[in-house]
Amino acid sequence: MKVYVLLTVLWLSAVGVGTSHARGEATWNEGQLLLLNGTQLEGELNYNWKAEIVQIRQGNTIKAYSASQVDHFVFFDSNQNILRRFVAVDYPVRQTLIRKLFLEEFVPGTLTVYRRLRHTKEPIRVVSPIAYGDDEELVKDLDSFTYFVYDENGMITNLDNFTRDIWPRLKEEYGDELKHFLDGQGLDTSSTLSQLLLINQYNALKKQEETPGNILPQRTAAGE
């Protein structure tokens, strides 16, 4: 099911469907949380994007944890009908400062895309600041997030550098297939949506190629 996270979220964004909650009401979903000390907790989870805090509710008790205390957490999003996974990673927020951040796994595969809420002074298009604890509206706006692409060697690339650092690799491996995909979907490479869909398609091609017994046609880079 996780393979379809991106397409499901984008579809929900386009048609605007989903179960509505009262404005500002936190959303709780059943899930699991693994602490750095190895303790696994199960209960209802709520993630607040702005505070970067995950809360777990067990009966009448609610506890909150930051990224410095957590390895990862997962929950089933009943609104979008998908399993969502967040990991705590060491990230260089500045050249001389590294701290733990929560990133959501958004596109799984050979090139895994993670996302984080943009923390800038620019207004975020959500119903209310309180709604950071209820991300039903927030997740519909792709441009509310910063995206990071992790490859199989652990290299991290900001999606903002897609044209310079990511697109050349995709074209080199699957130029013809991805050009056909772009033309068929009426996309270009300039928008966040197109870039995410291209990475998702690249991952699907890689998975298909790695399937035992599967033979793909010989590939050439686009333009050759």
Side-chain angles (χ1 to χ4, degrees):
M1 186 181 301
K2 180 63 178 177
V3 174
Y4 302 101
V5 168
L6 173 63
L7 296 180
T8 302
V9 172
L10 297 182
W11 179 76
L12 288 170
S13 303
V15 302
V17 299
T19 304
S20 297
H21 290 270
R23 187 170 296 182
E25 179 184 348
T27 302
W28 296 88
N29 292 282
E30 291 291 335
Q32 297 179 339
L33 185 154
L34 180 66
L35 299 179
L36 283 178
N37 63 11
T39 301
Q40 180 170 299
L41 304 174
E42 297 186 3
E44 296 177 292
L45 302 183
N46 167 260
Y47 178 58
N48 187 299
W49 288 96
K50 187 174 183 180
E52 298 191 86
I53 293 292
V54 58
Q55 299 181 92
I56 182 167
R57 182 167 66 185
Q58 297 172 308
N60 296 323
T61 301
I62 296 177
K63 294 182 179 181
Y65 298 94
S66 68
S68 63
Q69 300 169 291
V70 174
D71 181 82
H72 70 270
F73 63 91
V74 296
F75 62 82
F76 183 77
D77 188 324
S78 56
N79 291 325
Q80 301 179 57
N81 198 36
I82 55 175
L83 187 68
R84 297 173 66 182
R85 173 182 170 88
F86 292 74
V87 296
V89 300
D90 290 318
Y91 190 80
V93 292
R94 290 198 298 272
Q95 187 173 4
T96 58
L97 176 63
I98 295 177
R99 70 181 178 92
K100 286 280 190 180
L101 298 177
F102 280 125
L103 300 180
E104 181 180 12
E105 183 182 285
F106 194 52
V107 181
T110 301
L111 295 180
T112 301
V113 181
Y114 294 90
R115 69 178 181 177
R116 176 178 181 248
L117 184 70
R118 290 186 185 274
H119 288 264
T120 70
K121 295 182 180 179
E122 300 174 3
I124 303 295
R125 292 191 294 276
V126 292
V127 175
S128 162
I130 300 175
Y132 284 110
D134 176 9
D135 65 3
E136 181 181 348
E137 293 298 323
L138 178 63
V139 297
K140 294 180 182 179
D141 186 357
L142 291 175
D143 292 324
S144 291
F145 298 89
T146 300
Y147 299 86
F148 306 97
V149 183
Y150 285 64
D151 68 15
E152 64 273 26
N153 298 316
M155 295 294 294
I156 308 171
T157 305
N158 192 306
L159 191 67
D160 290 344
N161 299 322
F162 178 86
T163 301
R164 184 189 68 190
D165 298 331
I166 302 173
W167 182 227
R169 169 179 174 170
L170 271 57
K171 286 196 297 183
E172 180 180 1
E173 294 191 53
Y174 297 104
D176 289 341
E177 293 93 330
L178 293 177
K179 184 179 185 301
H180 179 74
F181 176 77
L182 283 173
D183 293 342
Q185 299 297 320
L187 303 172
D188 55 37
T189 61
S190 61
S191 70
T192 301
L193 171 59
S194 296
Q195 293 167 4
L196 292 170
L197 287 173
L198 278 168
I199 293 173
N200 190 65
Q201 184 68 9
Y202 169 85
N203 287 338
L205 290 168
K206 291 291 286 188
K207 185 175 182 180
Q208 182 180 0
E209 186 178 53
E210 293 164 1
T211 301
N214 184 65
I215 300 177
L216 290 180
Q218 184 176 359
R219 304 182 305 278
T220 58
E224 293 186 358

